[in-house]
Amino acid sequence: MEKKKGIEDVSPVLVLLAVGLGGLGYWWWRLGDTGRLEWLAGIRHDGGYGPVPLEILAQLEWLVMGRLADMEGMAMLFLLAGSIGIMEGNARRQSVTLSGFGLRLLRAGRVLGLLWLVCLVASIIAPVPLPYEQVAGALTILLGIAAFMLARGLRRVQ
């Protein structure tokens, strides 16, 4: 009997993501009002997002909306890195005469692409001050490498 591919490949990652988000939420809730306000005051100082709200759901919305505003400026950088990675991987694949199906590169590209997505979500919801120049650089490099590996690993059509 054949093993079906699909959601079974991604389910351990989704479980780890759910456990991680649940642990982060529990830790955030256990900090208490003063602890959360101290953490968010440090983020406000670094990011300049404005006054910190007092309610816990409003604090989450404040954090996510401020981080999304920062990430909006990085969207073109991510698009450029992905495009360059795809073009370079495609050119490298076509330059080799006997380039077949690069299964290892394809799988590594899938893993790095999923890792990029997890890091992107973590940089949006993490309640810690982040240096956005370094975060943008690391996410851009990771996306470019993932796109290169995905394009390099695809089967060459003759």
Side-chain angles (χ1 to χ4, degrees):
M1 182 174 245
E2 283 185 36
K3 183 180 175 185
K4 292 176 82 177
K5 297 283 184 180
I7 194 69
E8 292 86 16
D9 293 340
V10 182
S11 62
V13 175
L14 293 177
V15 168
L16 287 175
L17 184 63
V19 168
L21 287 175
L24 181 66
Y26 179 71
W27 169 78
W28 188 246
W29 176 71
R30 294 281 297 165
L31 273 177
D33 291 337
T34 58
R36 284 193 301 269
L37 288 175
E38 288 175 10
W39 275 95
L40 292 175
I43 294 171
R44 182 190 72 210
H45 184 298
D46 288 348
Y49 299 143
V52 179
L54 297 177
E55 300 165 358
I56 192 166
L57 291 177
Q59 290 171 353
L60 179 64
E61 181 183 0
W62 175 84
L63 178 66
V64 169
M65 295 311 279
R67 296 279 172 89
L68 283 176
D70 289 342
M71 289 291 171
E72 188 177 325
M74 296 179 203
M76 286 303 276
L77 184 63
F78 295 152
L79 181 66
L80 183 63
S83 300
I84 290 172
I86 289 171
M87 288 186 289
E88 287 295 322
N90 196 14
R92 182 71 56 97
R93 184 184 74 229
Q94 291 181 358
S95 68
V96 179
T97 307
L98 297 174
S99 67
F101 183 54
L103 188 58
R104 287 184 184 154
L105 286 170
L106 192 62
R107 285 188 177 173
R110 288 175 62 193
V111 168
L112 286 179
L114 188 60
L115 180 66
W116 176 81
L117 188 61
V118 168
C119 289
L120 180 69
V121 170
S123 68
I124 291 172
I125 64 170
V128 294
L130 295 174
Y132 275 99
E133 293 82 16
Q134 287 86 8
V135 170
L139 286 174
T140 302
I141 290 170
L142 188 61
L143 180 62
I145 292 172
F148 174 81
M149 287 182 165
L150 284 171
R152 176 70 174 93
L154 290 177
R155 176 176 222 114
R156 184 174 180 202
V157 178
Q158 303 261 343

